Amino acid sequence: MKPITITRQRKHEAEQAISDLVARGFEVVFPLTEFSREGKLFDRDTYNRQVFVEHAHSSCWKAQLRKVD
C-alpha cells in the first residue's frame, strides 16, 4: 500500500492524528518533522514600484505512515 502523509499546521494536531492511525494498525515510516519556510512580502507604492513590507514565516508538521499487514 501507499504510505499516508500527515500534514498539519500545529504539532499537537499532528501528534493526535498519528496516534489515531497507530491505534488503527499503522506504523510510522517517516517521523514527525517540522518544515519551515521564510519569504518576503512586497507591496506596490503610488509609482507602481515594489516596496518591501515584511518577512513572512510559515511552518507545517509532516509525518508518513503505512498500514501494517
Side-chain angles (χ1 to χ4, degrees):
M1 291 184 79
K2 281 185 163 179
I4 295 175
T5 303
I6 299 296
T7 305
R8 301 287 189 275
Q9 290 292 324
R10 292 174 181 77
K11 185 177 182 180
H12 67 88
E13 292 175 353
E15 290 171 342
Q16 180 66 42
I18 291 169
S19 65
D20 290 345
L21 287 173
V22 168
R24 290 176 23 199
F26 285 79
E27 68 176 359
V28 177
V29 177
F30 183 77
L32 187 62
T33 308
E34 182 180 19
F35 292 91
S36 61
R37 186 177 358 177
E38 294 189 23
K40 296 180 179 180
L41 293 178
F42 292 91
D43 199 5
R44 298 282 180 168
D45 65 358
T46 56
Y47 297 106
N48 203 24
R49 296 178 296 201
Q50 282 191 340
V51 179
F52 173 76
V53 178
E54 65 180 329
H55 288 284
H57 175 76
S58 65
S59 65
C60 67
W61 292 87
K62 291 187 177 188
Q64 207 168 42
L65 297 93
R66 71 173 172 206
K67 183 77 170 175
V68 178
D69 292 332

